[in-house]
Amino acid sequence: MDIEAKKTPLMDPKSSPKTCSKESIIRKATVAYGIVELLMRSDNNNNNVEALDEDVVQIDNFAVHVSKKSSRQRHQLWDDIKGVSMIYPELALSIEEPAYLSYLMAPEEKQGQFGRYLEVEEMMMTSEVPPPENSPVRTAVAAAAESDDTERTIDHSYYLVAKVLYELFVNEIFPEDSSLAEGVTTATAAATEEPAPKRAKSSHLLSQRAKGGKGIFDKADLPFQIPSIVRMHQLGIPASLCLMMENLLALRRDNGQSSDDTYKSLRDVAEDLHLLLLDPDRFLFDNEVQSCENMKLRYRKEKLYGRDKEETLITDAFCRVSRGKSEAFFISGFSGCGKSMLVNTLRARVNAVGGYVIKHKFDSLSQERSLSGVISAVNQLCLMLKDRNTHPKIALLANKLRDEFGADIGLLARIVKNVKVLSPEFVSPAAAEEAGGGDKMNARSVGFTLSRFMRLVSSPKHPVMGKPHVCLYVMRLLQLFLDDLQWAEDTALDVIHTFLSDTMGSCMFFVGTYRDNEVHADHAVFDLMKKLESSHVPTNKVSLTGLDREDLNTMISDALCLYPRICKSLSEVVMQKTKGNPFFVLEFIKSLKDRDLLKYNFHQKRWVWDEGTIRAEDITDNVLQLLSSEMNGLSDNVQLMLKVMACFGTKTCESVIGYLVDSAEYSAVRDGLKKAVSDGFIKRNREGTFNFVHDKVREAAYNLIPESDRKQFHYNLGRVLHSVCEGKDVGDTILLIATQINHGKEFILKDDELCLPFAKLNMAAGKMAIDSCRHKTAYAYLEVASSLLPNDHWESNYDISLRLSFMMASAANSSCKYDEAEIILQRILKEARCTKDKLPSYFVLSQLQPPTDTNSSYRLSPVFQAQGKVIDAYGTCSSILTQLGETIPDSVDPEVVGAMIPETLRKYDEVYCDDWLGKKMEDYTLRYVIRLYRQMVAQLSLENGVCQHTPLVFLQLSIIIMRSGNNIACAHRIAKDAMALSERFNVSDQMAQLNLNFTNAVGHLEWFHAGAQRLRVCFDSALSSGNAEMGFFCALQLVNRSILSGEKELTSLLKEIDYYLHLLETYKSEVSKNYLLNSRETVSMLIDKGEATSIEAKEYLGDANDPGNKFMDTYYCQQVLRNFWLGYGERCRHFAKKGFARIPQGMYFFHIIKFYYGLSLLKMLKKKLNSARQKEVEEIIESMKVA
């Protein structure tokens, strides 16, 4: 240690007392801490106060060690004290701040702050020379040791410590007669240097109080009543040190009678001094506020009390996630127990590693819009990405989004509006050209699309900066915090499961909090936990309860800036009332202050109270009643503001406040808002919204509205907002307006003139919700709109009824309410006045095929024709086309179709030019003919022009040409023309089908990588647009092509198959799962014969003798392939024969089996010639040439 011992005494009798600076106080407090620690460690003491020796405990027996650098400076520094030593008996302590703490803050951050966490450690006396044998200190100690009548009492020992501290801080000899409080006035006057008239005035005031007159303060108001402490106070020594002195002298003053404030051991004194040095601004120095009006409790708003264990658990989880593995952390507990505070402790750590914290808080008023909460959090992330990255990094991210989403970027922009801040071209697609497209997007497709986005921005390894031939890969950690999950419903939580269980590279730390006293065992949050555990996502759960007595006392000590030992009596009362609930504790202390049961004494410069009076007071132990009582005393403007915001939920946008201010009824809310913010009920966050500081505050504010008046209050609020915003583009505010008005639906129904306008309002809200893929929310608004229409609305309001009903059917269909959707569609078909008005419903109804088995939870379509109501769908299409004047044959003769191809190709070559490409199909009915009967209507498009369905028509034409074998080159050209034509239209919802048809038509003419990439795009696009069955069909094709081509490394392919199987746990298609398990078995066997890579789940074969069992075709094909590569020739031959027996010649699997069977025979011939087998190989080669 670079120190030197100062031999000069700590007290210089020649120097005159003067007011101390803060730096000087800190230095002396540090020395005092060292002295007390020395006394506890002295050989004869062992923390026994009665053992202190009067001749040892004196100021001249101690020396201070300071840094050598500081000693050479002109002015000594406040933090240069490095140790304190006792001259005799020899003992020294070093005083240091641990290095890991002293370097946590940069030098510029430490400017102006004095607090340090100090530690003491005994050190060797290397620089001290023992006092000579005849020194005064040794002589006094020896004399005391020989004396038999030395009386050592506790009060005298504390008196000795007080004496040393007094002489240290005041630099005066301690007055020996100051141990008692007698003659306070005289002693006070004698100890001061004030002019005589002023002293006389003080005496006069005291005498007035003694006589019962109205003086300014009485004896109890005096800051301190011991003359030596009064002296310290007058010299500017902080009241905290004066209080310490008073507590040290209390036993002697009170004739040995102990009180709550008296010290019990030197350890208590050392802890108090340590606290003063740790946070001197709070505990050591006096509060400079000069009036009661400005005096506030100094809560540590960012400090988390009593949660050390839980904080360690969540920090450890965060550290694990930072290594690249997603994890979930659930925190339960009563309202106000500090759940959000615990989560907020991670914010600094996430920011330190360049991560992002996104948060959403659910509330009881938005349960039907909980998916909107997750979308809102993702919108926050987009803004953070823009604000915290440079333009090159944003451009790089935008390019990655283009590569990932391609034509689906419009689907992402439709859900996440703020994605446009990353690139202006990322905008949601324009409205469909005709009404009634039948929106296929649903909660699962929304979740999958969001998951693709989150995977890109939160991947453990992704490029964040690009240079020529150089790309830096780092991790962008993402923390998603969803508060109050008890108000979230399963749709939102399913999306969270999709995020966390993604096995393709995303990395996220999810934290969810909920009130365990407000959820039942069947709540969706517990279902989420089970799903995460079954998906092998690490899941942590902690439960918070109230603070224990020690932590509660620390919390109150910090708020009152008082030693913890002095606050214990108050803490005990608070504990009984609040059960340790942190939020309730703060509100309870605040209520004590408001009722003058807790007061700040400006003379003593500390908070004072009487626990007996507090116990006797009738103070509620219900925090809501406490808050409501406080709010009832607020002005009318503030109460109105709190009521309004409570109706909107936990937060309110500033724009909504602006709309309200424009009205006469709520013009004063802005002034009320300012006061509510200053009073601590409301806070403004970074996004420009105003939030209640706590759920209980919102609840108390809502309770200001009598329960019988709440519907009317909501209704009036919505009416005013509607009148102010009418005719304006207010965005999502229209949802807020409709919600408020809908609370008063009973009032609307009493006035027929209001029903139709508010039905239209709810239709507008539903349309906005549909446009942003919030189908469940949309259905709720549309349902209200329907209830507001009159009974004869199909006759009196036909157009509105038609449009509203179809919107409801689409929203119900996308919300998986298939029965409701079918009922609504059938009603449309019954009530619609013409075929044109029925067409959209017919088309959706033809696609509306609910699950046919209990294990399937998504709609099926002709992609898997063995499932679903395909016959019913075909019958519906045929019936509609017949009504439209089309002749539908009972059967289609391949020769007839073949004869149509040349004529169609001739017309195609004639009309395909820029003029035809620019010719828009005007016939609305004809468009639906094409949608319903695409295979046979290529000529209709060639004659009448193009529409958004034309590309798919020509792709299907190319498939027919390719299968006929007439003109492969022509089929390839038409397929490429169709894909080019699709770029002229907004066909994001068709991209999956377009890519799949292109692959089926001419995919084998492309390089494998191009075809594989097209199938992957098709899979992503299909699941994002809500066409899951098509997506998994693409996944099956991709896996099969990967196995056959050998282009993909097997372990990577196995991981990809497991990803598809994982998704099928959500989509629950047993057929798709069966096919994928079959392929997985092949890959597993090829890797290690299934020794380490196999799984327990096996495919279900079904009836092998059933000719309609198409799965057996795949099964035999996979068996042939895997046995060939494993070298099992006879097994390969066995399964090949079985495949030939059931698969028609010319089919895809027939050719694959024949190819590998032929290779197997060649291998066998190499080992042993066999004429029969040789002939069989020759036949196979010839047949493959034909194929």
Side-chain angles (χ1 to χ4, degrees), residues 596-708:
D596 283 338
L597 297 173
L598 176 66
K599 296 187 292 186
Y600 190 79
N601 188 309
F602 278 92
H603 303 292
Q604 298 183 35
K605 296 192 176 180
R606 56 163 285 191
W607 293 92
V608 295
W609 63 90
D610 185 332
E611 58 267 26
T613 305
I614 295 174
R615 292 180 189 274
E617 285 285 325
D618 182 20
I619 303 176
T620 179
D621 57 0
N622 185 302
V623 68
L624 273 181
Q625 293 179 14
L626 205 64
L627 288 166
S628 297
S629 176
E630 183 179 356
M631 290 178 180
N632 284 327
L634 300 173
S635 66
D636 292 343
N637 288 346
V638 179
Q639 286 195 37
L640 179 62
M641 182 69 246
L642 293 174
K643 292 176 185 177
V644 167
M645 284 192 60
C647 289
F648 294 145
T650 57
K651 63 182 180 180
T652 304
C653 294
E654 189 171 12
S655 59
V656 175
I657 303 295
Y659 297 141
L660 288 172
V661 170
D662 291 339
S663 67
E665 296 89 337
Y666 299 100
S667 58
V669 293
R670 194 177 295 280
D671 293 335
L673 178 61
K674 292 178 181 178
K675 188 67 169 62
V677 172
S678 65
D679 286 349
F681 296 111
I682 305 293
K683 64 180 178 181
R684 183 174 182 174
N685 65 16
R686 300 172 184 174
E687 289 78 33
T689 62
F690 292 94
N691 296 36
F692 283 100
V693 296
H694 197 272
D695 299 336
K696 288 297 182 184
V697 178
R698 192 209 72 84
E699 200 172 338
Y702 196 59
N703 285 345
L704 291 173
I705 311 171
E707 189 171 355
S708 58

Side-chain angles (χ1 to χ4, degrees), residues 846-874 1028-1030 1032-1033 1036 1064 1067-1075 1108 1110-1111:
S846 70
Q847 305 260 312
L848 184 67
Q849 294 141 33
T852 57
D853 62 78
T854 56
N855 293 320
S856 181
S857 61
Y858 69 92
R859 290 170 298 140
L860 307 170
S861 77
V863 175
F864 298 129
Q865 295 190 9
Q867 303 180 79
K869 302 179 180 179
V870 179
I871 296 176
D872 294 344
Y874 179 80
E1029 64 278 7
M1030 182 177 293
F1032 286 110
F1033 184 74
L1036 288 170
L1064 283 170
Y1067 289 89
K1068 297 190 184 302
S1069 168
E1070 292 301 321
V1071 174
S1072 300
K1073 182 179 179 180
N1074 222 25
Y1075 280 97
K1110 299 299 180 183
F1111 176 73

Side-chain angles (χ1 to χ4, degrees), residues 3 17 125 406 879 917 1088 1122:
I3 60 173
M125 295 287 290
S879 173
L917 292 174
D1088 60 1
R1122 74 179 69 146

Side-chain angles (χ1 to χ4, degrees), residues 401-409 411 448-449 452 455 979 987-999 1009-1025 1027 1030-1032 1034-1035 1038 1056 1060:
L401 285 170
R402 290 187 195 94
D403 293 342
E404 167 66 24
F405 283 90
D408 290 342
I409 195 69
L411 294 176
F448 183 80
T449 305
R452 293 171 66 186
R455 182 190 307 157
M979 294 303 292
V987 291
S988 57
D989 60 331
Q990 297 184 45
M991 286 309 300
Q993 200 167 0
L994 288 168
N995 278 291
L996 179 60
N997 277 272
F998 183 90
T999 302
H1009 285 301
Q1013 180 60 26
R1014 192 179 295 279
L1015 284 170
R1016 286 192 181 92
V1017 169
C1018 181
F1019 170 78
D1020 289 336
S1021 182
L1023 264 67
S1024 287
S1025 60
N1027 202 345
M1030 182 177 293
F1032 286 110
C1034 294
L1038 177 60
E1056 188 170 344
Y1060 297 139

